[in-house]
Amino acid sequence: RVPTAAMLRLGRACLLLGPCVVIGVQIHGAFSEDEILRAEELVSYVEREGDEEYLDQMRNFGTDKENEGGHQVTFLHEYAKSRFPELLGRIWEVAKAADSKAGWGTVKALGSQRLGLRCMESISYGGAIVGNSSLASSLGWHHDGHTLITVAVMLSRKEDYEGGSVEVRSKQAL
């Protein structure tokens, strides 16, 4: 299992839809080692103390999902709000930095209002076999619905796994 946390670590991409539209940014070193450890503590806490309905669910969605292996997910948002609120604050700071770097203007449009947390997940992608499937652990193309900004934090260290990638494209391309 290769744990990754909540959120989506977006690679820098630029898709031409007329003018260049930045659909993702990557911010190296956005989280300190202590913040990564705190996120891992949240995941461990939920795995130990969480309601079963939030734990280790296998899911698969997106286009062509029949040819994708899916991933394991543990939902963290209910516990993050009450037990790890400083993580939410840090994620918001990173989201604001990404918004500024990409030039989306989402934060500016909100004024002093802060976006609410829609969902927070620990997502694990395994190797070539997931559950009873021989498909690679992955999802089909999908969009995150009504999410304005998605943040992903890689909890695993680069030396602890091989492969893995994140691809982004505009919703219009789906």
Side-chain angles (χ1 to χ4, degrees), residues 52-87:
E52 203 167 300
E53 66 183 289
Y54 293 110
L55 304 177
D56 207 26
Q57 296 180 17
M58 180 66 189
R59 69 179 182 182
N60 190 0
F61 53 86
T63 60
D64 200 30
K65 69 180 181 180
E66 299 79 22
N67 295 313
E68 305 290 346
H71 63 213
Q72 301 290 128
V73 63
T74 294
F75 296 97
L76 307 171
H77 45 280
E78 293 301 322
Y79 300 92
K81 290 176 187 176
S82 61
R83 297 239 176 217
F84 296 82
E86 75 284 356
L87 279 176

Side-chain angles (χ1 to χ4, degrees), residues 96-113:
K96 290 190 320 187
D99 179 70
S100 175
K101 186 174 181 179
W104 297 320
T106 303
V107 173
K108 185 177 181 181
L110 291 169
S112 62
Q113 187 179 10

Side-chain angles (χ1 to χ4, degrees), residues 89-170:
R90 184 66 188 127
I91 290 166
W92 174 238
E93 293 302 316
V94 171
K96 290 190 320 187
D99 179 70
S100 175
K101 186 174 181 179
W104 297 320
T106 303
V107 173
K108 185 177 181 181
L110 291 169
S112 62
Q113 187 179 10
R114 178 174 152 174
L115 289 172
L117 177 66
R118 186 175 149 269
C119 185
M120 185 174 189
E121 305 167 345
S122 171
I123 300 172
S124 296
Y125 290 95
I129 299 177
V130 178
N132 294 326
S133 171
S134 61
L135 300 172
S137 180
S138 60
L139 295 177
W141 286 107
H142 65 280
H143 60 85
D144 285 351
H146 299 289
T147 300
L148 294 176
I149 299 175
T150 301
V151 176
V153 180
M154 180 62 97
L155 295 182
S156 301
R157 286 153 187 79
K158 288 181 183 180
E159 59 271 10
D160 292 339
Y161 65 93
E162 290 181 31
S165 66
V166 173
E167 297 175 346
V168 296
R169 66 183 187 185
S170 73

